[in-house]
């Protein structure tokens, strides 16, 4: 199934194709049609066609070539500045198109264009004419923006690019060359930073490996120093074990102190009890002796 072809997206393309065979008066007529055609706002490709360039060398057709260049690069102010009779007749449709292209040129350097400036540059007498022209330009797709009636200016959001004059090529090349140099400089700086980071990473990796090897050697030396056949104990575990031993010893001492105090207290209590017992026994013996004596005396007397 073949690919379906639609209408050309470039309105100038049909005039470029026709210019390949159009010469003399046919080329002049082609230029007039292109200037008046709806939707055609760039003319650079047409100017580059050889049959159109040949118009410049003919005295009768040269004014049409100059008019085409004016629409490609110029503004309405350039048109009215031309000497009388130097250009062919310009129709109202052509003038309106040139005014819209003049707005595009102004918008390239100004985002907010006052109505007063537009009236002056476009040769319009009223603000209503200015607004109608801008609305038509927005409808044609060559510009977008907002009309601020309160503050009397046109706020530009977008405009198409106009044709570039050959005299501007050097400036454009200079700007692009400067941009390329800036990109190269930035790229060099980024690469330098990457190299530096890689070197730092390699140095840290080497230091880490060296540190690990040193630790391994120290562990091996400590194990050898612990004696042949002896099991080497990790220093951290040894320290933990020492702390546990000291804790156990402190706990044993405290327990001994508590036990000794309890034993001393118990001994003192026993001695007191013994004394009391002795006293009691003594008392009892004395009582018994008295009873015995009394009895003896009673029986003796009898």
């Amino acid at each position: 199934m073949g690919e379906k072809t639609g209408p050309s997206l470039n309105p100038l393309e049909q005039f470029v194709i026709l210019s390949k065979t159009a010469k003399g008066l046919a080329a002049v007529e082609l230029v007039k049609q292109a200037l008046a055609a709806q939707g055609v706002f760039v003319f650079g490709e047409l100017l580059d066609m050889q049959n159109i360039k040949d118009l410049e060398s003919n005295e009768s057709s040269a004014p049409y070539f100059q008019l085409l260049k004016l629409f490609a690069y110029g503004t309405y102010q350039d048109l009215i500045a031309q000497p009388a009779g130097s250009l062919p007749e310009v129709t109202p449709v052509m003038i309106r198109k040139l005014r819209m292209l003049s707005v595009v040129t102004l918008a390239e350097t100004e985002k907010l264009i006052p109505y007063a400036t537009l009236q002056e540059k476009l040769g319009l007498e009223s603000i209503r004419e200015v607004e109608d022209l801008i609305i038509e330009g927005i409808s044609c797709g060559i510009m977008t923006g907002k009309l601020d009636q309160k503050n009397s200016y046109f706020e530009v959001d977008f405009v198409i690019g106009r044709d570039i004059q050959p005299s501007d090529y050097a400036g454009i090349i200079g700007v692009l060359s400067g941009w390329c140099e800036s990109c190269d400089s930035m790229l060099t700086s980024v690469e330098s930073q990457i190299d530096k980071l890689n070197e730092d990473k390699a140095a840290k990796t080497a230091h880490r490996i060296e540190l690990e090897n040193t630790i391994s050697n120290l562990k091996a030396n400590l194990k050898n120093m612990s004696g042949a056949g002896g099991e080497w104990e990790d220093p951290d575990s040894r320290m933990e074990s020492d702390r546990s031993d000291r804790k156990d010893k402190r706990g044993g001492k405290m327990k001994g102190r508590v036990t000794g105090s309890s034993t001393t207290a118990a001994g003192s209590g026993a001695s007191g009890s013994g004394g009391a017992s002795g006293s009691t026994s003594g008392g009892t013996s004395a009582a018994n002796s008295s009873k015995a004596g009394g009895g003896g005396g009673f029986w003796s007397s009898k």
Side-chain angles (χ1 to χ4, degrees):
M1 190 173 183
E3 183 180 356
K4 185 177 179 180
T5 58
S8 173
L9 297 178
N10 183 5
L12 184 65
E13 185 177 356
Q14 57 179 327
F15 298 103
V16 173
I17 295 174
L18 292 173
S19 67
K20 295 178 180 179
T21 57
K23 297 182 179 181
L25 293 177
V28 170
E29 189 63 27
L30 189 64
V31 170
K32 292 166 64 177
Q33 291 177 7
L35 294 177
Q38 184 178 5
V40 179
F41 294 97
V42 290
F43 308 93
E45 292 181 63
L46 190 60
L47 280 169
D48 290 337
M49 302 304 296
Q50 188 58 49
N51 288 338
I52 302 300
K53 289 181 178 180
D54 292 342
L55 295 176
E56 188 177 14
S57 60
N58 189 302
E59 185 178 354
S60 61
S61 61
Y64 289 95
F65 183 79
Q66 296 300 324
L67 183 63
L68 182 61
K69 287 179 63 177
L70 191 148
F71 271 74
Y73 312 126
T75 64
Y76 178 78
Q77 291 295 314
D78 296 328
L79 176 64
I80 63 178
Q82 296 296 320
S86 62
L87 294 176
E89 180 185 1
V90 182
T91 65
V93 174
M94 295 179 185
I95 292 176
R96 192 162 186 83
K97 179 183 289 189
L98 186 59
R99 280 174 169 154
M100 284 190 284
L101 290 172
S102 300
V103 175
V104 172
T105 299
L106 288 171
E108 290 175 354
T109 56
E110 297 183 55
K111 181 176 176 61
L112 300 177
I113 309 175
Y115 283 173
T117 301
L118 291 170
Q119 282 184 263
E120 178 187 353
K121 299 296 184 181
L122 305 179
L124 299 175
E125 297 181 357
S126 66
I127 293 177
R128 179 57 184 269
E129 290 179 321
V130 171
E131 292 179 341
D132 289 344
L133 182 74
I134 293 174
I135 291 172
E136 184 177 350
I138 293 174
S139 299
C140 293
I142 65 173
M143 66 183 79
T144 59
K146 300 176 182 178
L147 293 171
D148 191 332
Q149 295 178 337
K150 180 179 180 180
N151 297 309
S152 298
Y153 61 72
F154 173 48
E155 182 179 354
V156 181
D157 290 334
F158 159 81
V159 292
I160 64 170
R162 297 197 64 182
D163 295 301
I164 302 172
Q165 301 186 54
S167 59
D168 296 334
Y169 291 166
I172 294 174
I173 292 173
V175 172
L176 293 177
S177 298
W179 178 76
C180 289
E181 291 176 0
S182 298
C183 290
D184 291 339
S185 177
M186 184 176 296
L187 181 60
T188 302
S189 177
V190 171
E191 291 175 347
S192 176
Q193 293 294 327
I194 291 174
D195 292 339
K196 183 178 179 181
L197 291 174
N198 288 335
E199 291 175 359
D200 291 343
K201 181 179 179 181
K204 290 180 179 178
T205 301
H207 177 69
R208 178 175 57 82
I209 294 173
E210 182 181 0
L211 186 61
E212 291 176 351
N213 292 334
T214 302
I215 293 173
S216 299
N217 293 333
L218 288 174
K219 288 182 177 180
N221 292 335
L222 290 173
K223 185 175 181 180
N224 293 332
M225 291 172 62
S226 64
E231 183 177 356
W232 177 76
E233 186 177 0
D234 185 74
D236 292 337
S237 301
R238 180 66 176 273
M239 292 175 65
E240 183 67 26
S241 177
D242 291 344
R243 284 195 294 266
S244 299
D245 292 342
R246 287 195 297 270
K247 184 176 180 181
D248 292 341
K249 289 179 179 179
R250 286 196 300 268
K253 290 179 179 180
M254 292 298 295
K255 184 175 180 181
R257 291 174 183 174
V258 172
T259 304
S261 299
S262 300
T263 304
T264 302
S268 299
S271 299
S273 299
S277 233
S279 299
T280 305
S281 299
T284 306
S285 298
N288 289 332
S289 298
S290 297
K291 288 181 179 181
F298 175 72
W299 288 107
S300 293
S301 119
K302 188 177 178 179

